[in-house]
Amino acid sequence: MASPEVYAAFHDRLVAQWATTPLVFENEAYETANTPAAFVYVEVFGDDLNQESVGAPGANMWLETGLTYLHVMVPSGTGTVLARTYARQLTDLFREQAVAAGLFMPEMSIGAGDPGRDFPNYWAMTVSIHWYRRDITGA
């Protein structure tokens, strides 16, 4: 899992800037509506935490890398236009934006070359945001 700082950066940005659909963050309870309605399921993963410099303890530079998935969930059988529209709007919230100090998002994709996936009553199109964070404090 990503560091609390990275998770907070994505969480806070989405909560402050996205009101189009409900947001569901990993391991949060969410009851889907009796009539399926769009929502975004958010996962923030940290892949690596690597030391980038050698120095005194507490003064090294660390590089954390990871991936955030924004699964745009739309009702099954409704096509892909709405999911694509929401996916594009979500990438715009992060593209070339200063979300948090030291957090960079050099690569994003809609669908990542994978087809959408079916879930009970829902179809998902996934936005993938590759990110890295440089931290001089040591974590």
mmCIF file of all heavy atoms in Angstrom, residues 48-93:
data_model
loop_
_atom_site.group_PDB
_atom_site.id
_atom_site.type_symbol
_atom_site.label_atom_id
_atom_site.label_comp_id
_atom_site.label_asym_id
_atom_site.label_seq_id
_atom_site.Cartn_x
_atom_site.Cartn_y
_atom_site.Cartn_z
ATOM 1 N N ASP A 48 7.034 0.527 -4.586
ATOM 2 C CA ASP A 48 8.407 0.503 -4.093
ATOM 3 C C ASP A 48 8.683 1.707 -3.218
ATOM 4 O O ASP A 48 8.123 2.780 -3.416
ATOM 5 C CB ASP A 48 9.420 0.553 -5.247
ATOM 6 C CG ASP A 48 9.437 -0.719 -6.062
ATOM 7 O OD1 ASP A 48 9.515 -1.801 -5.468
ATOM 8 O OD2 ASP A 48 9.368 -0.609 -7.294
ATOM 9 N N LEU A 49 9.614 1.537 -2.299
ATOM 10 C CA LEU A 49 10.182 2.645 -1.529
ATOM 11 C C LEU A 49 11.683 2.408 -1.531
ATOM 12 O O LEU A 49 12.191 1.500 -0.876
ATOM 13 C CB LEU A 49 9.636 2.654 -0.100
ATOM 14 C CG LEU A 49 10.045 3.827 0.778
ATOM 15 C CD1 LEU A 49 9.609 5.152 0.170
ATOM 16 C CD2 LEU A 49 9.476 3.677 2.176
ATOM 17 N N ASN A 50 12.397 3.189 -2.341
ATOM 18 C CA ASN A 50 13.826 2.977 -2.560
ATOM 19 C C ASN A 50 14.641 4.162 -2.079
ATOM 20 O O ASN A 50 14.288 5.314 -2.321
ATOM 21 C CB ASN A 50 14.112 2.778 -4.056
ATOM 22 C CG ASN A 50 13.481 1.520 -4.584
ATOM 23 O OD1 ASN A 50 13.654 0.445 -4.028
ATOM 24 N ND2 ASN A 50 12.711 1.654 -5.651
ATOM 25 N N GLN A 51 15.770 3.852 -1.448
ATOM 26 C CA GLN A 51 16.682 4.904 -1.029
ATOM 27 C C GLN A 51 17.431 5.410 -2.246
ATOM 28 O O GLN A 51 18.018 4.656 -3.002
ATOM 29 C CB GLN A 51 17.660 4.364 0.012
ATOM 30 C CG GLN A 51 18.543 5.428 0.610
ATOM 31 C CD GLN A 51 19.370 4.896 1.777
ATOM 32 O OE1 GLN A 51 18.973 3.965 2.448
ATOM 33 N NE2 GLN A 51 20.521 5.503 1.992
ATOM 34 N N GLU A 52 17.409 6.725 -2.459
ATOM 35 C CA GLU A 52 18.000 7.343 -3.637
ATOM 36 C C GLU A 52 19.327 8.033 -3.354
ATOM 37 O O GLU A 52 19.988 8.489 -4.271
ATOM 38 C CB GLU A 52 17.030 8.371 -4.231
ATOM 39 C CG GLU A 52 15.804 7.736 -4.852
ATOM 40 C CD GLU A 52 16.109 7.070 -6.174
ATOM 41 O OE1 GLU A 52 16.529 7.756 -7.117
ATOM 42 O OE2 GLU A 52 15.944 5.844 -6.252
ATOM 43 N N SER A 53 19.694 8.189 -2.104
ATOM 44 C CA SER A 53 20.950 8.858 -1.766
ATOM 45 C C SER A 53 21.543 8.198 -0.533
ATOM 46 O O SER A 53 20.892 7.430 0.163
ATOM 47 C CB SER A 53 20.715 10.348 -1.496
ATOM 48 O OG SER A 53 19.917 10.509 -0.341
ATOM 49 N N VAL A 54 22.785 8.490 -0.273
ATOM 50 C CA VAL A 54 23.466 7.963 0.904
ATOM 51 C C VAL A 54 23.922 9.159 1.722
ATOM 52 O O VAL A 54 24.604 10.052 1.228
ATOM 53 C CB VAL A 54 24.670 7.080 0.509
ATOM 54 C CG1 VAL A 54 25.393 6.604 1.743
ATOM 55 C CG2 VAL A 54 24.210 5.913 -0.347
ATOM 56 N N GLY A 55 23.529 9.212 2.975
ATOM 57 C CA GLY A 55 23.890 10.329 3.835
ATOM 58 C C GLY A 55 23.587 9.984 5.272
ATOM 59 O O GLY A 55 23.430 8.818 5.635
ATOM 60 N N ALA A 56 23.496 10.993 6.064
ATOM 61 C CA ALA A 56 23.203 10.800 7.478
ATOM 62 C C ALA A 56 21.790 10.246 7.635
ATOM 63 O O ALA A 56 20.894 10.613 6.873
ATOM 64 C CB ALA A 56 23.342 12.123 8.215
ATOM 65 N N PRO A 57 21.569 9.372 8.610
ATOM 66 C CA PRO A 57 20.208 8.866 8.835
ATOM 67 C C PRO A 57 19.225 10.032 8.995
ATOM 68 O O PRO A 57 19.511 11.016 9.662
ATOM 69 C CB PRO A 57 20.352 8.075 10.133
ATOM 70 C CG PRO A 57 21.785 7.646 10.150
ATOM 71 C CD PRO A 57 22.542 8.798 9.531
ATOM 72 N N GLY A 58 18.104 9.915 8.337
ATOM 73 C CA GLY A 58 17.095 10.965 8.377
ATOM 74 C C GLY A 58 17.295 12.052 7.350
ATOM 75 O O GLY A 58 16.460 12.947 7.223
ATOM 76 N N ALA A 59 18.397 12.006 6.597
ATOM 77 C CA ALA A 59 18.668 13.042 5.597
ATOM 78 C C ALA A 59 18.793 12.465 4.194
ATOM 79 O O ALA A 59 19.244 13.137 3.286
ATOM 80 C CB ALA A 59 19.939 13.801 5.961
ATOM 81 N N ASN A 60 18.425 11.217 4.028
ATOM 82 C CA ASN A 60 18.488 10.587 2.713
ATOM 83 C C ASN A 60 17.254 10.926 1.888
ATOM 84 O O ASN A 60 16.215 11.294 2.425
ATOM 85 C CB ASN A 60 18.582 9.065 2.858
ATOM 86 C CG ASN A 60 19.934 8.637 3.348
ATOM 87 O OD1 ASN A 60 20.942 8.973 2.750
ATOM 88 N ND2 ASN A 60 19.961 7.907 4.456
ATOM 89 N N MET A 61 17.385 10.780 0.580
ATOM 90 C CA MET A 61 16.245 10.958 -0.303
ATOM 91 C C MET A 61 15.676 9.574 -0.609
ATOM 92 O O MET A 61 16.417 8.642 -0.916
ATOM 93 C CB MET A 61 16.637 11.647 -1.607
ATOM 94 C CG MET A 61 15.443 11.843 -2.527
ATOM 95 S SD MET A 61 15.834 12.698 -4.054
ATOM 96 C CE MET A 61 16.197 14.310 -3.413
ATOM 97 N N TRP A 62 14.368 9.481 -0.524
ATOM 98 C CA TRP A 62 13.661 8.245 -0.807
ATOM 99 C C TRP A 62 12.736 8.454 -1.987
ATOM 100 O O TRP A 62 12.161 9.533 -2.159
ATOM 101 C CB TRP A 62 12.852 7.799 0.411
ATOM 102 C CG TRP A 62 13.734 7.359 1.525
ATOM 103 C CD1 TRP A 62 14.368 8.159 2.430
ATOM 104 C CD2 TRP A 62 14.109 6.027 1.832
ATOM 105 N NE1 TRP A 62 15.117 7.405 3.293
ATOM 106 C CE2 TRP A 62 14.973 6.082 2.947
ATOM 107 C CE3 TRP A 62 13.801 4.789 1.282
ATOM 108 C CZ2 TRP A 62 15.521 4.953 3.508
ATOM 109 C CZ3 TRP A 62 14.349 3.656 1.854
ATOM 110 C CH2 TRP A 62 15.206 3.740 2.951
ATOM 111 N N LEU A 63 12.587 7.425 -2.811
ATOM 112 C CA LEU A 63 11.688 7.476 -3.957
ATOM 113 C C LEU A 63 10.623 6.401 -3.770
ATOM 114 O O LEU A 63 10.934 5.203 -3.702
ATOM 115 C CB LEU A 63 12.453 7.235 -5.264
ATOM 116 C CG LEU A 63 11.611 7.267 -6.533
ATOM 117 C CD1 LEU A 63 11.038 8.659 -6.761
ATOM 118 C CD2 LEU A 63 12.444 6.827 -7.724
ATOM 119 N N GLU A 64 9.389 6.850 -3.668
ATOM 120 C CA GLU A 64 8.245 5.947 -3.559
ATOM 121 C C GLU A 64 7.530 5.956 -4.905
ATOM 122 O O GLU A 64 7.283 7.023 -5.470
ATOM 123 C CB GLU A 64 7.311 6.440 -2.456
ATOM 124 C CG GLU A 64 6.072 5.605 -2.294
ATOM 125 C CD GLU A 64 5.121 6.142 -1.225
ATOM 126 O OE1 GLU A 64 5.321 7.281 -0.740
ATOM 127 O OE2 GLU A 64 4.167 5.431 -0.908
ATOM 128 N N THR A 65 7.236 4.782 -5.437
ATOM 129 C CA THR A 65 6.518 4.694 -6.707
ATOM 130 C C THR A 65 5.249 3.879 -6.520
ATOM 131 O O THR A 65 5.169 3.034 -5.629
ATOM 132 C CB THR A 65 7.380 4.050 -7.814
ATOM 133 O OG1 THR A 65 7.727 2.723 -7.429
ATOM 134 C CG2 THR A 65 8.632 4.859 -8.078
ATOM 135 N N GLY A 66 4.272 4.134 -7.371
ATOM 136 C CA GLY A 66 3.041 3.371 -7.253
ATOM 137 C C GLY A 66 2.058 3.669 -8.354
ATOM 138 O O GLY A 66 2.384 4.294 -9.378
ATOM 139 N N LEU A 67 0.849 3.225 -8.123
ATOM 140 C CA LEU A 67 -0.208 3.295 -9.119
ATOM 141 C C LEU A 67 -1.529 3.543 -8.408
ATOM 142 O O LEU A 67 -1.808 2.933 -7.378
ATOM 143 C CB LEU A 67 -0.259 1.961 -9.868
ATOM 144 C CG LEU A 67 -1.039 1.826 -11.133
ATOM 145 C CD1 LEU A 67 -0.560 2.798 -12.196
ATOM 146 C CD2 LEU A 67 -0.904 0.409 -11.663
ATOM 147 N N THR A 68 -2.304 4.458 -8.944
ATOM 148 C CA THR A 68 -3.651 4.695 -8.434
ATOM 149 C C THR A 68 -4.630 4.271 -9.517
ATOM 150 O O THR A 68 -4.470 4.625 -10.688
ATOM 151 C CB THR A 68 -3.848 6.179 -8.082
ATOM 152 O OG1 THR A 68 -2.983 6.488 -6.987
ATOM 153 C CG2 THR A 68 -5.285 6.478 -7.687
ATOM 154 N N TYR A 69 -5.625 3.487 -9.110
ATOM 155 C CA TYR A 69 -6.681 3.057 -10.017
ATOM 156 C C TYR A 69 -7.966 3.782 -9.649
ATOM 157 O O TYR A 69 -8.376 3.792 -8.490
ATOM 158 C CB TYR A 69 -6.939 1.551 -9.908
ATOM 159 C CG TYR A 69 -5.801 0.692 -10.369
ATOM 160 C CD1 TYR A 69 -5.112 -0.113 -9.470
ATOM 161 C CD2 TYR A 69 -5.426 0.665 -11.703
ATOM 162 C CE1 TYR A 69 -4.070 -0.913 -9.894
ATOM 163 C CE2 TYR A 69 -4.384 -0.141 -12.134
ATOM 164 C CZ TYR A 69 -3.715 -0.927 -11.220
ATOM 165 O OH TYR A 69 -2.682 -1.720 -11.641
ATOM 166 N N LEU A 70 -8.593 4.378 -10.644
ATOM 167 C CA LEU A 70 -9.905 4.989 -10.492
ATOM 168 C C LEU A 70 -10.855 4.182 -11.378
ATOM 169 O O LEU A 70 -10.877 4.356 -12.598
ATOM 170 C CB LEU A 70 -9.872 6.459 -10.913
ATOM 171 C CG LEU A 70 -8.804 7.323 -10.247
ATOM 172 C CD1 LEU A 70 -8.775 8.718 -10.871
ATOM 173 C CD2 LEU A 70 -9.022 7.396 -8.752
ATOM 174 N N HIS A 71 -11.580 3.258 -10.778
ATOM 175 C CA HIS A 71 -12.487 2.385 -11.518
ATOM 176 C C HIS A 71 -13.827 3.107 -11.681
ATOM 177 O O HIS A 71 -14.548 3.295 -10.701
ATOM 178 C CB HIS A 71 -12.700 1.065 -10.779
ATOM 179 C CG HIS A 71 -11.439 0.331 -10.465
ATOM 180 N ND1 HIS A 71 -10.732 -0.375 -11.417
ATOM 181 C CD2 HIS A 71 -10.748 0.202 -9.310
ATOM 182 C CE1 HIS A 71 -9.666 -0.923 -10.840
ATOM 183 N NE2 HIS A 71 -9.655 -0.576 -9.574
ATOM 184 N N VAL A 72 -14.113 3.522 -12.892
ATOM 185 C CA VAL A 72 -15.389 4.189 -13.176
ATOM 186 C C VAL A 72 -16.422 3.091 -13.404
ATOM 187 O O VAL A 72 -16.364 2.367 -14.392
ATOM 188 C CB VAL A 72 -15.273 5.105 -14.413
ATOM 189 C CG1 VAL A 72 -16.616 5.764 -14.703
ATOM 190 C CG2 VAL A 72 -14.183 6.151 -14.211
ATOM 191 N N MET A 73 -17.348 2.987 -12.484
ATOM 192 C CA MET A 73 -18.367 1.937 -12.520
ATOM 193 C C MET A 73 -19.668 2.525 -13.067
ATOM 194 O O MET A 73 -20.167 3.525 -12.537
ATOM 195 C CB MET A 73 -18.603 1.392 -11.112
ATOM 196 C CG MET A 73 -17.342 0.977 -10.366
ATOM 197 S SD MET A 73 -16.465 -0.405 -11.117
ATOM 198 C CE MET A 73 -17.568 -1.745 -10.756
ATOM 199 N N VAL A 74 -20.168 1.932 -14.138
ATOM 200 C CA VAL A 74 -21.438 2.370 -14.727
ATOM 201 C C VAL A 74 -22.358 1.157 -14.836
ATOM 202 O O VAL A 74 -21.893 0.018 -14.872
ATOM 203 C CB VAL A 74 -21.234 3.040 -16.113
ATOM 204 C CG1 VAL A 74 -20.423 4.324 -15.980
ATOM 205 C CG2 VAL A 74 -20.607 2.086 -17.103
ATOM 206 N N PRO A 75 -23.673 1.379 -14.895
ATOM 207 C CA PRO A 75 -24.594 0.254 -15.017
ATOM 208 C C PRO A 75 -24.308 -0.591 -16.257
ATOM 209 O O PRO A 75 -24.006 -0.052 -17.325
ATOM 210 C CB PRO A 75 -25.971 0.919 -15.107
ATOM 211 C CG PRO A 75 -25.788 2.243 -14.428
ATOM 212 C CD PRO A 75 -24.377 2.657 -14.766
ATOM 213 N N SER A 76 -24.386 -1.904 -16.108
ATOM 214 C CA SER A 76 -24.184 -2.817 -17.236
ATOM 215 C C SER A 76 -25.192 -2.529 -18.340
ATOM 216 O O SER A 76 -26.337 -2.160 -18.073
ATOM 217 C CB SER A 76 -24.357 -4.272 -16.783
ATOM 218 O OG SER A 76 -23.309 -4.663 -15.956
ATOM 219 N N GLY A 77 -24.734 -2.679 -19.572
ATOM 220 C CA GLY A 77 -25.615 -2.544 -20.725
ATOM 221 C C GLY A 77 -25.911 -1.117 -21.134
ATOM 222 O O GLY A 77 -26.775 -0.896 -21.978
ATOM 223 N N THR A 78 -25.176 -0.135 -20.569
ATOM 224 C CA THR A 78 -25.457 1.268 -20.899
ATOM 225 C C THR A 78 -24.414 1.859 -21.835
ATOM 226 O O THR A 78 -24.414 3.070 -22.059
ATOM 227 C CB THR A 78 -25.546 2.127 -19.618
ATOM 228 O OG1 THR A 78 -24.312 2.043 -18.901
ATOM 229 C CG2 THR A 78 -26.691 1.687 -18.729
ATOM 230 N N GLY A 79 -23.535 1.044 -22.373
ATOM 231 C CA GLY A 79 -22.501 1.541 -23.271
ATOM 232 C C GLY A 79 -21.305 2.077 -22.503
ATOM 233 O O GLY A 79 -21.219 1.953 -21.279
ATOM 234 N N THR A 80 -20.375 2.689 -23.246
ATOM 235 C CA THR A 80 -19.125 3.132 -22.634
ATOM 236 C C THR A 80 -18.930 4.642 -22.636
ATOM 237 O O THR A 80 -17.968 5.134 -22.053
ATOM 238 C CB THR A 80 -17.919 2.493 -23.346
ATOM 239 O OG1 THR A 80 -17.852 2.980 -24.692
ATOM 240 C CG2 THR A 80 -17.996 0.986 -23.331
ATOM 241 N N VAL A 81 -19.816 5.385 -23.285
ATOM 242 C CA VAL A 81 -19.617 6.827 -23.421
ATOM 243 C C VAL A 81 -19.570 7.516 -22.058
ATOM 244 O O VAL A 81 -18.686 8.341 -21.800
ATOM 245 C CB VAL A 81 -20.699 7.455 -24.322
ATOM 246 C CG1 VAL A 81 -20.591 8.977 -24.319
ATOM 247 C CG2 VAL A 81 -20.559 6.922 -25.741
ATOM 248 N N LEU A 82 -20.481 7.206 -21.166
ATOM 249 C CA LEU A 82 -20.494 7.840 -19.847
ATOM 250 C C LEU A 82 -19.222 7.506 -19.076
ATOM 251 O O LEU A 82 -18.591 8.386 -18.487
ATOM 252 C CB LEU A 82 -21.731 7.417 -19.049
ATOM 253 C CG LEU A 82 -21.891 8.085 -17.688
ATOM 254 C CD1 LEU A 82 -22.035 9.598 -17.833
ATOM 255 C CD2 LEU A 82 -23.103 7.486 -16.960
ATOM 256 N N ALA A 83 -18.804 6.239 -19.104
ATOM 257 C CA ALA A 83 -17.581 5.831 -18.407
ATOM 258 C C ALA A 83 -16.363 6.555 -18.980
ATOM 259 O O ALA A 83 -15.495 7.023 -18.230
ATOM 260 C CB ALA A 83 -17.392 4.319 -18.499
ATOM 261 N N ARG A 84 -16.293 6.659 -20.291
ATOM 262 C CA ARG A 84 -15.173 7.369 -20.926
ATOM 263 C C ARG A 84 -15.174 8.855 -20.567
ATOM 264 O O ARG A 84 -14.129 9.456 -20.331
ATOM 265 C CB ARG A 84 -15.232 7.215 -22.441
ATOM 266 C CG ARG A 84 -14.955 5.831 -22.930
ATOM 267 C CD ARG A 84 -15.224 5.704 -24.428
ATOM 268 N NE ARG A 84 -15.273 4.305 -24.811
ATOM 269 C CZ ARG A 84 -14.204 3.568 -25.056
ATOM 270 N NH1 ARG A 84 -13.006 4.088 -24.965
ATOM 271 N NH2 ARG A 84 -14.333 2.296 -25.405
ATOM 272 N N THR A 85 -16.355 9.449 -20.522
ATOM 273 C CA THR A 85 -16.468 10.865 -20.171
ATOM 274 C C THR A 85 -15.985 11.100 -18.740
ATOM 275 O O THR A 85 -15.187 12.008 -18.482
ATOM 276 C CB THR A 85 -17.923 11.337 -20.335
ATOM 277 O OG1 THR A 85 -18.313 11.133 -21.700
ATOM 278 C CG2 THR A 85 -18.074 12.798 -19.956
ATOM 279 N N TYR A 86 -16.461 10.287 -17.814
ATOM 280 C CA TYR A 86 -16.023 10.425 -16.419
ATOM 281 C C TYR A 86 -14.535 10.147 -16.284
ATOM 282 O O TYR A 86 -13.834 10.836 -15.542
ATOM 283 C CB TYR A 86 -16.812 9.499 -15.508
ATOM 284 C CG TYR A 86 -18.255 9.890 -15.304
ATOM 285 C CD1 TYR A 86 -19.142 9.005 -14.720
ATOM 286 C CD2 TYR A 86 -18.747 11.136 -15.688
ATOM 287 C CE1 TYR A 86 -20.464 9.340 -14.505
ATOM 288 C CE2 TYR A 86 -20.073 11.475 -15.493
ATOM 289 C CZ TYR A 86 -20.930 10.579 -14.898
ATOM 290 O OH TYR A 86 -22.243 10.902 -14.689
ATOM 291 N N ALA A 87 -14.038 9.140 -16.999
ATOM 292 C CA ALA A 87 -12.608 8.812 -16.928
ATOM 293 C C ALA A 87 -11.766 10.002 -17.375
ATOM 294 O O ALA A 87 -10.764 10.354 -16.733
ATOM 295 C CB ALA A 87 -12.305 7.582 -17.779
ATOM 296 N N ARG A 88 -12.152 10.635 -18.448
ATOM 297 C CA ARG A 88 -11.413 11.806 -18.928
ATOM 298 C C ARG A 88 -11.461 12.946 -17.917
ATOM 299 O O ARG A 88 -10.475 13.616 -17.658
ATOM 300 C CB ARG A 88 -11.954 12.254 -20.287
ATOM 301 C CG ARG A 88 -11.307 13.517 -20.820
ATOM 302 C CD ARG A 88 -9.778 13.328 -20.936
ATOM 303 N NE ARG A 88 -9.115 14.572 -21.207
ATOM 304 C CZ ARG A 88 -8.787 15.005 -22.423
ATOM 305 N NH1 ARG A 88 -9.064 14.278 -23.490
ATOM 306 N NH2 ARG A 88 -8.172 16.146 -22.567
ATOM 307 N N GLN A 89 -12.621 13.174 -17.334
ATOM 308 C CA GLN A 89 -12.753 14.220 -16.319
ATOM 309 C C GLN A 89 -11.873 13.930 -15.112
ATOM 310 O O GLN A 89 -11.283 14.845 -14.524
ATOM 311 C CB GLN A 89 -14.216 14.370 -15.899
ATOM 312 C CG GLN A 89 -15.099 14.941 -16.988
ATOM 313 C CD GLN A 89 -16.577 14.870 -16.647
ATOM 314 O OE1 GLN A 89 -16.982 14.336 -15.628
ATOM 315 N NE2 GLN A 89 -17.400 15.425 -17.540
ATOM 316 N N LEU A 90 -11.761 12.673 -14.736
ATOM 317 C CA LEU A 90 -10.898 12.300 -13.610
ATOM 318 C C LEU A 90 -9.424 12.540 -13.925
ATOM 319 O O LEU A 90 -8.684 13.050 -13.082
ATOM 320 C CB LEU A 90 -11.137 10.845 -13.212
ATOM 321 C CG LEU A 90 -12.453 10.597 -12.488
ATOM 322 C CD1 LEU A 90 -12.813 9.121 -12.524
ATOM 323 C CD2 LEU A 90 -12.379 11.102 -11.047
ATOM 324 N N THR A 91 -8.986 12.197 -15.140
ATOM 325 C CA THR A 91 -7.578 12.456 -15.473
ATOM 326 C C THR A 91 -7.298 13.950 -15.455
ATOM 327 O O THR A 91 -6.216 14.377 -15.041
ATOM 328 C CB THR A 91 -7.163 11.872 -16.847
ATOM 329 O OG1 THR A 91 -7.937 12.464 -17.884
ATOM 330 C CG2 THR A 91 -7.286 10.357 -16.873
ATOM 331 N N ASP A 92 -8.266 14.753 -15.854
ATOM 332 C CA ASP A 92 -8.072 16.205 -15.852
ATOM 333 C C ASP A 92 -7.871 16.761 -14.440
ATOM 334 O O ASP A 92 -7.240 17.808 -14.276
ATOM 335 C CB ASP A 92 -9.253 16.912 -16.519
ATOM 336 C CG ASP A 92 -9.284 16.700 -18.023
ATOM 337 O OD1 ASP A 92 -8.259 16.258 -18.599
ATOM 338 O OD2 ASP A 92 -10.340 16.957 -18.631
ATOM 339 N N LEU A 93 -8.384 16.073 -13.424
ATOM 340 C CA LEU A 93 -8.179 16.517 -12.039
ATOM 341 C C LEU A 93 -6.718 16.400 -11.602
ATOM 342 O O LEU A 93 -6.298 17.070 -10.659
ATOM 343 C CB LEU A 93 -9.027 15.692 -11.069
ATOM 344 C CG LEU A 93 -10.525 15.889 -11.098
ATOM 345 C CD1 LEU A 93 -11.176 14.992 -10.061
ATOM 346 C CD2 LEU A 93 -10.891 17.337 -10.857
#
